[in-house]
Amino acid sequence: MQVSVKIPTRKEIKPLGVYVPGKPIEEVKREFGLTDIIKLASNENPYGCSELATQAVVREMEKCALYPEGTAPELAAKLSARLGVAPEYFIIGNGSDEIIRLLTRSYIAAGDEAIMADVTFSRYETNVLIEGGVPVTVPLIDGVHDLAGMLKAIGSRTKMIFVCNPNNPTGTIVGRSELLAFIEQVPSHIMLVIDEAYYEYVSDPDYLQTVPLLASHPNLVILRTFSKIYGLAALRAGYGMMHPSIVQELIKVKEPFNSNRMAQAAAIASLDDAAFAADCARRNEAARTKLVSELKQLGLSCYPSHANFLMVKLGRSGDDVFHSLLAQGVVVRAGSLLGYPDTIRVSIGTEQDNQVFIEALRHIVAPGGKPA
């Protein structure tokens, strides 16, 4: 007989849902009895990681019995030299999403408000709610952050603002002059968090380089990750750049050994292989352009993406298309989980993977295989 737990949950936790990741390949194989699965659901790098990173992990395995350095000073120093920012401006996280959690844990109290887009990375809202804060959402305009609307949403309880640039799940960016003006107008007592998880994929010259602004804007926080273009999603390595006083507050609430030895070693090695990252960005841009063209031939459009994924506008239930693709062994993300129920989000894969996706989609939107 099962005994029920009588310990009450915190009221902030009660309404929360569970984060739903892209379906793992193994789960789809079991569910549908398939052997060949293409996963285009989690914005992973289809080209893997740098060989230098792989070698670094193998070497570091010899030290598995030893705890890592708690603040990853070697990685911070490497990033410092690479980006021209003092080492004390860096904090290393178990993925950049851990740093989001540390920020809200340190700075959001019950009743504090945090402004964000209505369709963006869901962990902003979740972590604000966990701390008893109040998410204030501002609708996107054609898939792009409405920065003017976000400024208007600032009130006496505003403590934090999140801007995802490029935005996940739409892939859009805000223009250089618009974002710079926004940064200048956000009051200095409000923390402005700019999440640049996909910034390495952006080639548009209208993209603002935010790092030089750190010195003059102590309320600015920049988040980046090794999970995307560097292909280290399994190792969970991310970093934040911010005023050293903020770093010290976050260190107080982070776990002592949040970044493991293999993750630190792989991230350091990845920074030594600029050619790998540049090649991934080049191949991604070419594949993205081709995919957009092929989707257009099917009568479909996307938000203008600057990342390694596309949010495809279907004009019908994204859930239906998601399940139909799943039955064919193609795993994407249903837009209903991301805020736009008539869309799917598809990661950009290898040329072969992308072609399998297009052919599977063709049979769904135009039965018989002919373009819609």
Side-chain angles (χ1 to χ4, degrees):
M1 185 180 76
Q2 278 193 330
V3 179
S4 62
V5 176
K6 299 186 184 301
I7 305 169
T9 307
R10 285 176 50 211
K11 60 181 176 59
E12 292 85 0
I13 307 300
K14 282 284 188 182
L16 296 181
V18 177
Y19 179 75
V20 181
K23 272 183 173 288
I25 290 173
E26 297 80 4
E27 181 182 340
V28 178
K29 284 183 176 180
R30 288 192 302 268
E31 185 176 344
F32 291 92
L34 300 171
T35 55
D36 297 321
I37 306 296
I38 293 173
K39 186 185 178 189
L40 301 174
S42 300
N43 306 339
E44 296 150 330
N45 189 336
Y47 310 112
C49 65
S50 164
E51 181 60 30
L52 296 183
T54 301
Q55 295 168 6
V57 169
V58 172
R59 290 193 300 270
E60 203 65 24
M61 287 290 290
E62 298 176 2
K63 303 175 184 176
C64 269
L66 305 176
Y67 286 110
E69 291 194 83
T71 57
E74 287 188 46
L75 178 52
K78 191 82 172 181
L79 287 165
S80 171
R82 172 79 172 262
L83 298 171
V85 179
E88 57 266 28
Y89 274 74
F90 291 90
I91 186 167
I92 310 302
N94 190 256
S96 58
D97 50 351
E98 185 200 18
I99 303 174
I100 297 168
R101 183 166 68 253
L102 298 178
L103 288 166
T104 56
R105 180 182 293 177
S106 300
Y107 289 95
I108 296 292
D112 286 344
E113 295 180 352
I115 299 170
M116 63 199 71
D118 64 335
V119 178
T120 191
F121 186 44
S122 64
R123 302 310 289 174
Y124 309 147
E125 180 177 39
T126 298
N127 282 291
V128 169
L129 289 170
I130 288 171
E131 304 305 328
V134 180
V136 176
T137 59
V138 176
L140 298 174
I141 298 178
D142 296 327
V144 181
H145 278 73
D146 177 9
L147 297 185
M150 296 178 91
L151 285 174
K152 291 179 181 177
I154 293 174
S156 61
R157 301 302 302 268
T158 304
K159 197 71 171 286
M160 195 173 289
I161 300 175
F162 291 96
V163 175
C164 191
N165 195 41
N167 186 44
N168 179 13
T170 58
T172 56
I173 62 171
V174 289
R176 175 200 299 265
S177 59
E178 185 182 5
L179 182 55
L180 181 58
F182 180 75
I183 293 170
E184 298 287 351
Q185 292 176 76
V186 171
S188 59
H189 68 277
I190 296 174
M191 183 175 291
L192 175 56
V193 183
I194 300 183
D195 189 344
E196 297 182 344
Y198 299 93
Y199 95 102
E200 291 98 342
Y201 289 107
V202 182
S203 60
D204 194 318
D206 197 33
Y207 187 70
L208 179 66
Q209 299 301 318
T210 53
V211 172
L213 302 174
L214 284 167
S216 56
H217 295 81
N219 63 326
L220 179 62
V221 172
I222 302 169
L223 303 181
R224 292 181 178 175
T225 184
F226 287 92
S227 293
K228 303 306 177 185
I229 205 163
Y230 292 107
L232 301 181
L235 292 179
R236 314 306 302 123
Y239 62 100
M241 293 173 279
M242 62 203 74
H243 193 274
S245 63
I246 302 176
V247 171
Q248 291 307 309
E249 294 303 315
L250 269 54
I251 288 175
K252 293 178 184 178
V253 300
K254 82 172 185 65
E255 297 303 320
F257 306 110
N258 61 322
S259 176
N260 70 69
R261 278 187 172 274
M262 280 63 75
Q264 292 182 34
I268 291 169
S270 294
L271 293 171
D272 285 328
D273 197 349
F276 173 80
D279 184 58
C280 289
R282 178 188 59 78
R283 295 168 79 177
N284 177 79
E285 185 163 12
R288 186 176 64 208
T289 300
K290 184 178 180 181
L291 262 182
V292 170
S293 175
E294 290 175 323
L295 288 165
K296 187 175 181 180
Q297 292 177 35
L298 293 176
L300 303 174
S301 63
C302 315
Y303 290 101
S305 176
H306 297 262
N308 66 335
F309 56 85
L310 294 169
M311 183 159 244
V312 185
K313 304 174 186 178
L314 300 167
R316 57 186 286 189
S317 169
D319 283 347
D320 290 346
V321 174
F322 163 76
H323 287 294
S324 296
L325 287 170
L326 204 58
Q328 298 181 65
V330 179
V331 189
V332 298
R333 290 297 296 274
S336 60
L337 297 173
L338 304 171
Y340 286 156
D342 60 345
T343 68
I344 54 172
R345 191 194 67 190
V346 55
S347 305
I348 296 167
T350 64
E351 184 175 353
Q352 181 180 357
D353 290 349
N354 295 337
Q355 200 55 46
V356 171
F357 161 70
I358 283 293
E359 290 305 316
L361 187 62
R362 187 189 311 277
H363 289 289
I364 295 168
V365 301
K370 297 180 181 180

